[in-house]
């Protein structure tokens, strides 16, 4: 799950908070769709991304798999990502005009582009990626506005919890030698966070409870809660 590069290779060297300005605005996006092609399996979805897509597409997880998602293994974990289609490897939700068909429910990775997140000491900060698309004269935009998301402080807390939960699970997976147990744990994570609906009215509260429950069941010796 970690990119095997140094921060100097991919970052402008600055750390940004939600209320900082960064040169990351597409200024209305003319539909060049460069950021929606050739992404391979890199657009990995978290539980919030899938929850939004389920509501947007009025679908369950199996329906999304048939429509636009695929599963891949990353650091021992089976996780969903947006599927790229055709010879030009275009996102399954990209229309013929080069526009996003799920803009209001687009994943967090897409919302943040061309920025990213880095993690230090169980906190995270934003950084501006040195991407080819940056060569265009991007305007400055506040990070908070770039994300176009309500309840951003709760979102940041969730992203931090999810990142370190996956990191700890991945480390635990490396110690397992029983392939059937690895499959069982992966199926538990898929069911707990992607397949089972979040329907109590407060996604952030429910996903936090599920993370704590999973830590208790799978990582009781390392639980931070």
């Amino acid at each position: 799950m970690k990119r095997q590069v140094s921060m100097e290779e991919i970052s402008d060297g600055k750390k940004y908070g939600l209320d900082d300005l960064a040169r990351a605005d597409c200024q209305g996006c003319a539909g060049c769709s460069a950021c929606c092609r050739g992404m391979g399996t890199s657009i990995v979805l978290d539980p919030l991304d899938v929850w939004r897509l389920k509501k947007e597409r009025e679908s369950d997880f199996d329906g999304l798999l048939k429509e636009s998602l695929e599963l891949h293994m990353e650091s021992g974990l089976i996780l969903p990502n947006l599927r790229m289609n055709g010879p030009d490897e275009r996102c399954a939700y990209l229309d013929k005009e080069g526009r996003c068909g799920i803009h209001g429910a687009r994943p967090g990775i897409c919302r943040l582009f061309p920025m990213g997140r880095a993690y230090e000491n169980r906190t995270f900060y934003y950084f501006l990626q040195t991407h080819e698309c940056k060569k265009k004269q991007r305007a400055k935009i506040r990070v908070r506005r770039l994300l176009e998301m309500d309840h951003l402080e709760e979102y940041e807390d969730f992203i931090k919890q999810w990142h370190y939960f996956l990191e700890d699970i991945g480390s635990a997976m490396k110690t397992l030698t029983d392939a059937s147990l690895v499959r069982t744990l992966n199926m538990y994570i898929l069911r707990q966070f992607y397949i089972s609906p979040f329907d109590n009215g407060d996604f952030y509260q429910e996903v936090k409870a599920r993370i704590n429950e999973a830590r208790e069941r799978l990582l009781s010796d390392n639980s931070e809660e």
Side-chain angles (χ1 to χ4, degrees), residues 44-213:
V44 181
L45 305 181
D46 61 43
L48 177 61
D49 296 330
V50 170
W51 178 69
R52 282 181 172 148
L53 281 175
K54 285 180 178 178
K55 293 201 300 181
E56 174 75 12
R57 307 302 290 180
E58 298 182 347
S59 176
D60 59 14
F61 188 67
D62 285 341
L64 292 178
L65 284 175
K66 294 175 183 177
E67 176 185 81
S68 60
L69 307 188
E70 61 186 4
L71 298 175
H72 76 284
M73 182 166 284
E74 188 168 316
S75 299
L77 294 172
I78 298 175
L79 298 171
N81 63 269
L82 282 183
R83 188 173 67 236
M84 301 291 134
N85 294 332
D88 58 349
E89 297 185 53
R90 51 193 294 126
C91 172
Y93 288 118
L94 192 65
D95 67 21
K96 294 180 180 178
E97 285 70 44
R99 312 298 297 191
C100 177
I102 54 162
H103 189 75
R106 66 197 186 281
I109 292 176
C110 303
R111 291 172 183 270
L112 199 54
F113 183 85
M115 298 193 74
R117 289 184 289 254
Y119 302 81
E120 289 181 352
N121 300 321
R122 299 201 173 268
T123 61
F124 72 84
Y125 60 85
Y126 299 99
F127 66 90
L128 185 59
Q129 299 182 73
T130 54
H131 188 273
E132 183 177 355
C133 203
K134 185 184 171 185
K135 293 177 181 177
K136 301 178 180 180
Q137 292 301 310
R138 290 181 175 272
K140 285 190 174 182
I141 187 172
R142 211 166 296 280
V143 174
R144 183 183 296 274
R145 184 181 171 195
L146 179 68
L147 283 166
E148 291 186 332
M149 194 183 303
D150 296 329
H151 311 293
L152 271 172
E153 285 73 16
E154 287 181 284
Y155 174 70
E156 285 191 328
D157 187 54
F158 155 66
I159 289 296
K160 182 175 65 174
Q161 290 182 63
W162 182 244
H163 170 82
Y164 287 112
F165 170 68
L166 289 186
E167 187 175 76
D168 292 342
I169 286 287
S171 296
M173 288 277 198
K174 293 177 182 178
T175 68
L176 300 177
T177 57
D178 186 337
S180 63
L181 180 56
V182 171
R183 286 194 296 271
T184 299
L185 291 177
N186 268 304
M187 283 308 304
Y188 170 79
I189 292 170
L190 285 173
R191 285 195 304 270
Q192 181 84 336
F193 296 104
Y194 293 103
I195 298 173
S196 299
F198 291 88
D199 53 12
N200 74 350
D202 187 333
F203 170 84
Y204 292 117
Q205 183 180 67
E206 187 169 352
V207 76
K208 181 178 180 179
R210 292 192 191 187
I211 290 173
N212 289 341
E213 178 186 337

Side-chain angles (χ1 to χ4, degrees), residues 3-30:
R3 297 175 65 178
Q4 300 303 311
V5 294
S6 67
M7 285 301 295
E8 290 73 19
E9 292 178 80
I10 59 174
S11 170
D12 66 346
K14 299 177 182 178
K15 296 181 180 180
Y16 298 89
L18 287 174
D19 294 308
D20 290 331
L21 290 169
R23 198 169 293 282
D25 187 14
C26 288
Q27 303 178 67
C29 179

